Amino acid sequence: MRTRQSLAARWAIAATALLASFSAGANYLWLEPDEGGAKAYLGLYESSRLDPAGLSAVRGLLADGKELATKVAADRVQVTAPAGGDIRLTAQAVGQDKVLHFYQAKFGRGETKAVNDLELVPTEAGGNTFKLVWKGNAIAASQVNVSTSEGWIRTLKPSEDGTVTLTTPFAGIYILEVTARVNGSMTYQGTKYDDVRHTATLSFEVKR
């Protein structure tokens, strides 16, 4: 019983650390495969791509913590990575509305352990069922937005265990996105922000 209570308490702490505030219109950062690694875009996959020059603390890494070389270009962030393994990219930005954004992107669904603070991970390698993890603890997402290279857009609702399941009926790029607002204010690098949001994406390619 103590173990169950402890686990429930940890889940409660993780869940209350974020106040779900999801919006299909919020910008996000996502990764796509590219020769020699991956390329990342900021904006909305289906409608707009923004200049990533406003991003700060851009960091690419693998699951083992190895840093990856990144280069911010006019319309993208280029990430150099070895073949095989999932690729992650994190960045920060302060919007004109004084909102502090933490962007956390991952390409690939081979790894089932989260590395970023907020991350969607498959429950099994290469699978189509995903869980949302916040700082090591699984939490239920209110919804997960899906965009694809074929223009197929969906909103996934979690099942009773908090996971979401996506069908992949065609070849192409699939992007899962979730955004959550942190409860309360936060002081970051000496500045206080009343609105702090974490946005996580998981993208992968389906080949036929």
Side-chain angles (χ1 to χ4, degrees):
M1 179 62 70
R2 290 180 180 177
T3 300
R4 289 184 177 180
Q5 288 178 341
S6 177
L7 179 61
R10 290 199 300 269
W11 275 52
I13 291 172
T16 55
L18 293 175
L19 173 63
S21 179
F22 304 97
S23 171
N27 292 322
Y28 50 84
L29 185 73
W30 76 91
L31 286 160
E32 295 184 21
D34 194 34
E35 184 177 355
K39 52 189 176 184
Y41 295 99
L42 177 66
L44 299 175
Y45 185 84
E46 62 276 7
S47 62
S48 64
R49 297 184 179 184
L50 308 177
D51 185 346
L55 296 176
S56 63
V58 177
R59 183 185 181 209
L61 70 158
L62 299 176
D64 61 4
K66 180 181 178 180
E67 296 274 349
L68 300 174
T70 63
K71 180 180 180 180
V72 179
D75 64 341
R76 72 181 69 180
V77 179
Q78 201 71 37
V79 184
T80 302
D86 296 345
I87 300 171
R88 293 171 176 82
L89 184 71
T90 61
Q92 300 153 24
V94 177
Q96 294 181 348
D97 49 2
K98 303 302 181 182
V99 175
L100 176 60
H101 296 274
F102 289 93
Y103 295 112
Q104 296 154 97
K106 175 186 174 185
F107 178 78
R109 49 176 173 163
E111 299 165 5
T112 58
K113 182 179 180 180
V115 175
N116 294 331
D117 283 350
L118 186 67
E119 188 170 312
L120 282 160
V121 296
T123 56
E124 62 179 15
N128 289 339
T129 297
F130 306 89
K131 62 182 178 181
L132 182 64
V133 178
W134 166 247
K135 293 190 175 181
N137 294 280
I139 61 173
S142 296
Q143 69 181 47
V144 175
N145 303 308
V146 181
S147 297
T148 70
S149 57
E150 298 300 308
W152 187 72
I153 299 173
R154 292 290 185 274
T155 297
L156 305 180
K157 295 293 185 180
S159 59
E160 290 186 1
D161 65 359
T163 63
V164 295
T165 299
L166 170 69
T167 59
T168 54
F170 49 81
I173 300 292
Y174 290 75
I175 302 172
L176 286 70
E177 175 266 327
V178 61
T179 297
R181 178 181 295 162
V182 175
N183 279 326
S185 61
M186 173 183 177
T187 298
Y188 179 73
Q189 295 184 346
T191 301
K192 182 179 178 181
Y193 297 93
D194 293 322
D195 194 343
V196 181
R197 303 179 191 184
H198 285 258
T199 299
T201 60
L202 169 64
S203 53
F204 54 89
E205 185 176 16
V206 174
K207 297 180 180 179
R208 292 288 187 256

